[in-house]
Amino acid sequence: MTTTSQRRINASSLVLLAVAFIAAVILSNELFRGWRIDLTENNLYTLSDGTRRIVDKIDEPINLYFYYSDSATENIPALRSYAQRVREMLTEIASIAGDKVRLQVIDPQPFSEEEDRAAQFGLQAVQLPNTPDAVYFGLAGTNSVDDQETIAFFQPDKEEFLEYDIARLLSTLAEPARPVIGLVSGIPMTGGFDPASGQMARPWMVWQQAGQLFETRNLGTSFASIDDDIGVLWIVQPKALDEATQYAIDQFVLAGGKALIFVDPVAELDQPETPAGMPAGMPMQGQSSDLPTLFKAWGINYSSSDVVTDAQLALQLSGGPGGAPVRHFAYLGISDAQLNNDDVTVADIGTLNLALAGHLTVSDDSALTMEPLISSSRNSSTATSARFSYLPDPATLQDGFAADGNSRIIGARLSGKLKTAFPDGPPQAADDEAPEPSATQLMESSEDVNLIVVADVDMLSDRLWVQIQSFFGQQIANAFAGNGAFVVNALESLSGSSDLIAVRSRGTFARPFTRVEELRVQADARYRETEQRLQNELSETERRLGELQASREDSGNLLLSDEQQQEIDRFIDQRSQIRRDLRAVRRDLDRSIERLGTTLKVINIGLVPFLITLIALLGVARRKGRAR
């Protein structure tokens, strides 16, 4: 074969390879259109089953308008990356929903009709640094009856709840009726006449707040049935509920109803009337609450005689007129470290203030799964509730306090299958007649129940989370803790469908260089150690110079003696050495990061071609082996 023929064959081969490559790309686009493989660590591009079920239940079309100022954010790569993720998630939802979700992506230009429409929806225009115009980055949705729901601005720090926020918006538009919350409260939190003061009491702010978002209904503390349209029971300070009421609650929960329950070993806000004949100033009684029959059957362990004390989270309270502030070990300021930031009810709410709280566990044979929402620190213990009946000096709680190293669960989300607390049938009626057999009694739940239980009632009171001020006849509420936000989040979470509750927080898109951060932390530690050594050496030199000056007979002479000069020279040499050490620490850090970067580049660039080449060579060797 001549050289010219060989060249023609090679050129033809290259052309055929190019044609085959283009054909393969076209074919793959046609055959695998819509196919996706999510290889991210937290399945960031895979919708949860809860979101898919919400989309499946949409009966009438929902319009989504994603407003994003694309041109105004050219210089903000981090925000553009997050916006890309939002767009991809919305596109994924629209693709599985078909005609039931119509997505429009809009880049609102300044002074345009699109910008006016975004403002009408209530989307937030944020002026960011290095952007010439305000940035829109929100979502508006409408349904067939023109109800509107919006996400005013996608905050990057709430990335974990991106799917939940979008799923909640869809769920609300798909079922526009306001959820009905039924209140069962043994403490007067809805306002009314206060016999103790003889005046009308104002409703608690948390009750007013819930009334703005939900349809609230006070059921009292004694009833035999619960209306069908009630979606969530809000049970507060249940005390000595009769069996008929507990039975109604039991059947409500087993039928798929949700419940937000607050119990307390000592509810300071619960001030029962003093029995006749009892002298004033006697220790208060009857401030605890419990649901013993239901909790026992459901496998929830709670003691109304144990109060959590915590030396780390103790709040500092005023010591009264003329008294010094004192840290109260049973008044707790719960911070982020003790909140479950993976749950939407407590994530990003800041601080919760609690008072004389109890704690919860589940029994070994319980079918419930407990997810902690609010916990104490490990520097905690318990005290008997009787100790708080009369406690003139809270500082005495510190006497003999010994933490046992255990973190206690104060609030939790519980889910799972339950059996009835009344296996023998409905409770006997009050007129002692035998209970009628009920063919409709649920003996166990058909699906997982959803409960949130908190062992503190005082956290609902205004004094622990909000300051109310009167401004020209209007009440202005200034929250200084997240107690109210927690209750609203919990009611909102429970009042959504079970599918919405199943949409939990997702991982973040950000992938920090953890190995680099570890190297930096180690280098900083060595740097601080060396720096501290230099500071100690300087202090030691100054001490020696002072001793030498004091030991001189001519102590008034300002000229340095030979010993002092030698000491200073020694320190200068030592300082130079330490500074060289500091530079070496920084230099080693840079080299370590550079070596790590080189290694990653080699892996990313060379590993895959190497593996492909190796597989090809193995294939060739195998074929040759068979040919022989």
Side-chain angles (χ1 to χ4, degrees):
M1 183 179 294
T2 63
T3 305
T4 304
S5 299
Q6 183 65 41
R7 288 178 178 173
R8 287 176 180 174
I9 292 174
N10 292 339
S12 300
S13 300
L14 290 176
V15 171
L16 288 175
L17 283 174
V19 172
F21 176 75
I22 295 172
V25 171
I26 295 174
L27 197 62
S28 66
N29 286 338
E30 293 299 325
L31 294 178
F32 305 111
R33 185 185 297 276
W35 286 36
R36 301 178 182 183
I37 301 176
D38 187 355
L39 300 177
T40 55
E41 181 181 9
N42 298 312
N43 294 326
L44 296 174
Y45 297 100
T46 302
L47 295 178
S48 65
D49 294 338
T51 301
R52 290 179 177 274
R53 288 194 292 267
I54 289 172
V55 171
D56 290 340
K57 292 178 181 176
I58 296 175
D59 294 327
E60 297 183 358
I62 292 176
N63 298 308
L64 295 182
Y65 305 95
F66 175 45
Y67 285 86
Y68 173 59
S69 302
D70 186 65
S71 54
T73 57
E74 292 180 345
N75 299 323
I76 312 178
L79 191 65
R80 293 181 68 83
S81 176
Y82 185 41
Q84 180 65 22
R85 189 188 170 197
V86 175
R87 188 200 304 261
E88 289 171 347
M89 180 166 288
L90 292 172
T91 304
E92 177 73 11
I93 291 174
S95 67
I96 67 171
D99 296 335
K100 293 186 291 186
V101 174
R102 303 164 181 164
L103 174 64
Q104 293 185 39
V105 181
I106 303 169
D107 180 4
Q109 300 297 320
F111 308 107
S112 64
E113 292 183 2
E114 289 79 7
E115 185 182 37
D116 294 340
R117 188 78 193 283
Q120 289 174 359
F121 275 128
L123 302 187
Q124 188 176 0
V126 177
Q127 185 66 54
L128 300 176
N130 303 324
T131 56
D133 304 305
V135 172
Y136 284 92
F137 184 22
L139 181 68
T142 62
N143 59 13
S144 59
V145 293
D146 289 335
D147 289 327
Q148 294 183 7
E149 288 291 329
T150 61
I151 298 174
F153 194 91
F154 286 105
Q155 299 181 22
D157 58 351
K158 291 188 64 180
E159 183 180 359
E160 296 91 339
F161 299 104
L162 171 63
E163 185 178 356
Y164 177 86
D165 289 340
I166 296 174
R168 183 175 59 82
L169 182 145
L170 290 172
S171 178
T172 304
L173 289 173
E175 299 177 4
R178 286 209 305 173
V180 182
I181 310 296
L183 177 68
V184 182
S185 178
I187 193 168
M189 57 185 291
T190 59
F193 182 74
D194 182 8
S197 63
Q199 299 178 350
M200 294 298 292
R202 180 176 50 80
W204 291 9
M205 183 52 64
V206 71
W207 172 252
Q208 297 181 53
Q209 208 173 48
Q212 296 171 359
L213 300 172
F214 310 98
E215 180 182 340
T216 52
R217 197 176 299 169
N218 191 352
L219 305 181
T221 56
S222 180
F223 46 84
S225 62
I226 298 173
D227 295 340
D228 294 336
D229 61 342
I230 290 179
V232 179
L233 272 186
W234 184 7
I235 303 173
V236 181
Q237 189 69 350
K239 297 192 303 183
L241 296 181
D242 58 58
E243 289 203 332
T245 302
Q246 295 187 62
Y247 177 76
I249 295 173
D250 175 84
Q251 293 296 291
F252 174 83
V253 171
L254 265 58
K258 291 89 174 180
L260 174 60
I261 303 172
F262 291 85
V263 291
D264 202 324
V266 183
E268 288 192 320
L269 265 290
D270 190 3
Q271 302 284 336
E273 293 185 30
T274 304
M278 178 176 289
M282 291 297 291
M284 196 65 67
Q285 302 291 331
Q287 294 178 291
S288 66
S289 56
D290 195 357
L291 287 171
T293 302
L294 298 180
F295 279 0
K296 182 179 180 181
W298 295 347
I300 300 175
N301 298 326
Y302 156 76
S303 172
S304 60
S305 60
D306 286 343
V307 174
V308 176
T309 53
D310 195 313
Q312 178 179 328
L313 304 178
L315 290 173
Q316 185 163 285
L317 306 182
S318 171
V326 59
R327 297 183 72 237
H328 196 309
F329 278 23
Y331 272 64
L332 310 182
I334 307 292
S335 58
D336 277 346
Q338 285 74 42
L339 300 175
N340 181 357
N341 288 303
D342 290 334
D343 194 288
V344 70
T345 57
V346 290
D348 299 326
I349 63 171
T351 302
L352 289 177
N353 290 336
L354 311 180
L356 282 61
H359 62 102
L360 307 164
T361 60
V362 291
S363 58
D364 294 337
D365 58 348
S366 174
L368 292 176
T369 300
M370 172 179 279
E371 295 182 40
L373 298 178
I374 307 168
S375 304
S376 71
S377 74
R378 295 188 180 278
N379 198 2
S380 66
S381 183
T382 59
T384 61
S385 58
R387 190 171 181 183
F388 298 89
S389 298
Y390 182 71
L391 186 66
D393 183 9
T396 58
L397 291 173
Q398 304 176 24
D399 299 339
F401 175 85
D404 55 14
N406 295 319
S407 175
R408 291 170 170 79
I409 299 173
I410 299 173
R413 184 189 290 273
L414 301 113
S415 59
K417 297 285 183 61
L418 284 182
K419 293 183 179 179
T420 180
F422 298 87
D424 299 328
Q428 190 170 0
D431 55 5
D432 291 333
E433 293 181 357
E436 297 181 0
S438 173
T440 60
Q441 180 184 358
L442 297 175
M443 302 307 291
E444 60 181 309
S445 59
S446 59
E447 57 184 24
D448 289 351
V449 304
N450 285 287
L451 309 170
I452 292 179
V453 182
V454 181
D456 186 42
V457 170
D458 291 303
M459 70 170 299
L460 302 175
S461 64
D462 294 352
R463 67 184 183 119
L464 284 184
W465 70 277
V466 66
Q467 186 177 21
I468 309 296
Q469 295 179 327
S470 180
F471 185 74
F472 291 103
Q474 299 291 324
Q475 289 186 350
I476 306 297
N478 295 314
F480 53 83
N483 299 25
F486 164 67
V487 174
V488 169
N489 289 346
L491 290 174
E492 187 178 63
S493 171
L494 291 172
S495 61
S497 65
S498 300
D499 300 329
L500 183 59
I501 296 173
V503 182
R504 299 300 174 84
S505 65
R506 308 295 295 274
T508 62
F509 191 77
R511 300 296 302 276
F513 294 97
T514 55
R515 179 57 184 159
V516 173
E517 290 300 322
E518 290 176 3
L519 291 174
R520 198 181 303 282
V521 170
Q522 294 172 4
D524 285 343
R526 292 202 303 272
Y527 189 89
R528 284 195 299 272
E529 181 182 353
T530 309
E531 190 178 43
Q532 184 62 40
R533 186 153 55 91
L534 175 63
Q535 185 62 41
N536 294 338
E537 188 66 25
L538 175 62
S539 301
E540 179 63 18
T541 300
E542 291 176 345
R543 186 187 65 79
R544 290 178 183 175
L545 290 174
E547 290 178 353
L548 291 173
Q549 182 67 20
S551 63
R552 291 176 60 177
E553 295 180 356
D554 56 343
S555 58
N557 191 349
L558 298 179
L559 296 176
L560 297 176
S561 64
D562 293 340
E563 291 82 359
Q564 287 176 317
Q565 187 60 52
Q566 291 174 3
E567 184 64 25
I568 291 176
D569 292 341
R570 189 199 62 78
F571 170 72
I572 292 175
D573 293 340
Q574 186 72 13
R575 184 181 59 181
S576 299
Q577 179 60 42
I578 292 177
R579 285 179 174 174
R580 284 195 293 273
D581 294 344
L582 290 174
R583 287 195 296 272
V585 170
R586 288 296 182 191
R587 189 167 55 249
D588 290 344
L589 170 63
D590 294 339
R591 288 176 177 172
S592 299
I593 294 176
E594 187 176 352
R595 281 198 300 271
L596 180 62
T598 304
T599 304
L600 292 175
K601 286 180 182 177
V602 170
I603 293 174
N604 291 333
I605 297 174
L607 181 61
V608 173
F610 172 75
L611 291 176
I612 293 175
T613 304
L614 180 62
I615 293 172
L617 291 176
L618 291 175
V620 171
R622 188 177 180 184
R623 291 182 61 182
K624 287 184 176 179
R626 288 181 178 175
R628 291 175 183 172

